[in-house]
Amino acid sequence: MKPRYLVLAIACLATFAAPNLAGAQEQRPPVSQCQAIAQTIPKVTFASISGAPPMMPAVSEGEDVKLTFLGHSTFEIETPGGIVIATDYNGWYRPATMPDVVTMNKAHTTHYTLTPDPDIKHVLHGWSDVPGEKAKVNLVVGDAYIRNVTTDIRFSYGLGGAHENGNSIFIFEIAGLCIGHLGHLHYELTDAHYTEIGRLDVVMVPVDGGLTMGADSMSRVIKRLRSSLILPMHRRGPPVEAFVSMFGKDFDVANAPHASITVSMRTLPKKPLIYVLKGVQ
């Protein structure tokens, strides 16, 4: 090829390549604000696209997130932008408005439904139906970023026996807060789990004392997570006090007069608080 044609060919290639490079930079996955190790940041699927390149939700530390206990292990999470999320959704405990997102786990039928309302836009399973694979959830919906960390379960009523990676800890990054739902946690977490989870400012924790883990094991998980706000859930049999008794003077304990709490980065308790919402007792 003659030199002048070679130069022209290179110039043409550069013209076509430049926009693609710019687009690739705009499509880079967002960085989790909660994960401790950058190498563990997974790829993200964006769900809220309206012409402009997808972006992480804007963070304002003064914005409030509302959490409401609906029953068993189902919480309604309402973001400042109006996104409604229901955890461990089984169709029985429902938010007052149709949720935009529901998460599920498969240990019992009280934690999932295979026939969710078709108007729910995002149904997130904490398990994979492909043997040997992990469920992978990385989703941006409005002002919420949702991801998961899988754990094993001993048994699963209605969906088979023991299941490796059958449970997911769902993590919701909203308005600067890192909010975690432990789901149906059967085993104490490993160092690798803690690394994947990162920081949790708020954690929803099962306190049944046996169907998931004993109170002593679950308390060790909570102490290691060092969350500012601990919301008990999934109480079957023993009173919440059996779980609370595992903690000493480093934790405050309070019974809430209502089923809801509103929290933001600026209103997080300075000292870890176990806050028992109405309906959990």
Side-chain angles (χ1 to χ4, degrees), residues 51-256:
M55 299 176 63
M56 270 296 287
V59 173
S60 172
E61 294 186 355
E63 292 181 325
D64 292 329
V65 178
K66 185 177 181 181
L67 298 101
T68 302
F69 178 70
L70 299 180
H72 200 49
S73 58
T74 303
F75 283 80
E76 175 186 359
I77 304 173
E78 185 176 352
T79 76
I83 297 297
V84 175
I85 303 165
T87 65
D88 273 11
Y89 183 80
N90 55 28
W92 306 339
Y93 304 115
R94 303 186 181 195
T97 59
M98 181 68 67
D100 301 284
V101 182
V102 298
T103 66
M104 299 181 188
N105 275 303
K106 66 174 292 187
H108 304 273
T109 53
T110 48
H111 297 258
Y112 72 92
T113 174
L114 297 180
T115 57
D117 192 305
D119 289 334
I120 299 173
K121 296 177 182 177
H122 306 287
V123 177
L124 309 180
H125 287 178
W127 69 93
S128 173
D129 292 316
V130 180
E133 291 192 6
K134 296 182 179 182
K136 296 179 182 178
V137 176
N138 284 280
L139 191 67
V140 174
V141 182
D143 57 342
Y145 170 32
I146 307 167
R147 59 188 178 89
N148 74 316
V149 175
T150 60
T151 65
D152 298 342
I153 56 176
R154 295 187 300 265
F155 50 81
S156 174
Y157 295 150
L159 285 176
H163 191 159
E164 186 177 0
N165 297 306
N167 177 74
S168 277
I169 296 170
F170 282 96
I171 299 154
F172 311 92
E173 303 191 20
I174 306 167
L177 289 168
C178 305
I179 302 170
H181 187 284
L182 297 186
H184 211 272
L185 187 62
H186 281 179
Y187 301 101
E188 291 194 42
L189 300 176
T190 65
D191 288 343
H193 287 130
Y194 287 111
T195 297
E196 285 187 79
I197 292 167
R199 186 184 95 244
L200 290 184
D201 303 304
V202 181
V203 62
M204 291 160 270
V205 54
V207 295
D208 55 86
L211 289 175
T212 53
M213 289 196 298
D216 55 343
S217 295
M218 196 66 77
S219 69
R220 284 195 290 270
V221 170
I222 295 305
K223 290 172 184 175
R224 174 77 180 267
L225 287 171
R226 299 191 296 273
S227 303
S228 296
L229 182 63
I230 300 104
L231 302 177
M233 63 173 187
H234 198 273
R235 188 192 69 79
R236 284 287 180 89
V240 177
E241 285 70 25
F243 170 75
V244 171
S245 67
M246 298 290 113
F247 298 86
K249 61 182 181 180
D250 292 334
F251 289 76
D252 286 333
V253 180
N255 291 318

